[in-house]
Amino acid sequence: MLTDVQGVERLRERDAQAFRSLIDRLQQPITGYLHRLVGDREVALDLAQDTFVQVYKEIDKASGEFALDAWIYRIATNYGLRYLNRKRLRQFVRLDSSESFDESLAIAGPEDQTETRILVEQALGTLKPIDAAVLQLHFGNGFTYEEIGEVMEMSSEAVRKRVSRSVEKFRRSYGKKLPSERSQPYKNSVKVTLKGIK
């Protein structure tokens, strides 16, 4: 397996096989991360493609000392946050009212999982994009505080505090979205995570 330094060198040499390997390895995780961040599979696919194009164009700027995956996730995060900020601005100006999610159109697999997924996405949508991103990276992708710090250009302590505050905001928002008759029995016995309920 190549080290990040070797990988960056091969990518800088525009080695087609190195790029194919990189895309094969990271396309699905990056797309999944972006999908959870922006809430739209087609947009996530476009943003992932933009991410890899940017990696190809900017690989000379990548440092061999900096983790290659973290650098790529930083690019993906920047694309995702820009998309969310533009979307929120459009919604604020009322140009995007047709994009609201109609829960009645959801086709259930197991009903509770579908409902939970919708509630989690809605709760994440109430957070600032950067807060949603750190929660997705930490709980959705399993990144450590240090790794998120590299992606978001923050100290690991700042990431820890942001994750902690964001979890509390998420819980408050998620709790408001639970139907009142169902929220009481679950209040103390359910652990809410970004992947669902445990």
Side-chain angles (χ1 to χ4, degrees):
M1 182 161 187
L2 292 176
T3 65
D4 280 350
V5 175
Q6 292 169 324
V8 169
E9 285 308 313
R10 285 185 58 194
L11 293 170
R12 282 183 179 152
E13 294 166 3
R14 303 296 190 239
D15 181 325
Q17 181 58 40
F19 272 103
R20 271 193 297 278
S21 296
L22 179 75
I23 291 170
D24 288 346
R25 182 171 62 85
L26 287 179
Q27 185 170 21
Q28 190 171 356
I30 291 284
T31 302
Y33 163 65
L34 287 166
H35 183 208
R36 289 187 303 274
L37 183 61
V38 302
D40 184 314
R41 178 92 175 137
E42 294 303 315
V43 170
L45 288 167
D46 289 343
L47 294 175
Q49 183 176 1
D50 292 344
T51 297
F52 289 111
V53 168
Q54 189 72 20
V55 167
Y56 185 82
K57 288 179 182 176
E58 304 288 331
I59 192 63
D60 292 332
K61 296 180 182 178
S63 166
E65 299 162 12
F66 188 67
L68 181 61
D69 288 8
W71 181 70
I72 295 169
Y73 269 91
R74 177 187 295 170
I75 293 170
T77 299
N78 288 339
Y79 274 113
L81 293 177
R82 269 185 256 147
Y83 169 81
L84 288 172
N85 287 328
R86 284 193 310 266
K87 181 178 176 183
R88 285 176 187 228
L89 180 61
R90 286 194 310 267
Q91 287 175 337
F92 179 73
V93 188
R94 302 268 188 241
L95 295 177
D96 224 10
S97 58
S98 63
E99 285 191 27
S100 61
F101 183 75
D102 183 353
E103 293 178 36
S104 67
L105 298 177
I107 298 172
E111 186 176 316
D112 288 339
Q113 289 181 356
T114 301
E115 181 182 359
T116 299
R117 191 175 313 113
I118 290 168
L119 293 174
V120 167
E121 286 176 11
Q122 288 176 343
L124 285 172
T126 65
L127 302 178
K128 291 180 183 176
I130 193 168
D131 293 338
V134 296
L135 290 180
Q136 289 292 345
L137 287 168
H138 187 62
F139 295 105
N141 291 77
F143 279 38
T144 64
Y145 296 143
E146 291 76 19
E147 291 168 332
I148 297 170
E150 288 182 20
V151 171
M152 306 299 272
E153 297 179 309
M154 302 178 189
S155 70
S156 59
E157 182 61 17
V159 170
R160 186 192 66 74
K161 288 178 181 176
R162 184 171 289 274
V163 167
S164 178
R165 286 191 306 263
S166 299
V167 164
E168 288 308 311
K169 291 176 190 174
F170 174 84
R171 284 184 179 150
R172 282 194 302 272
S173 178
Y174 184 86
K176 288 178 187 175
K177 295 186 178 305
L178 283 175
S180 58
E181 68 273 4
R182 297 185 72 184
S183 61
Q184 295 306 321
Y186 290 120
K187 190 170 184 181
N188 296 319
S189 62
V190 174
K191 180 180 179 184
V192 178
T193 70
L194 290 180
K195 292 184 179 178
I197 295 180
K198 289 187 176 181

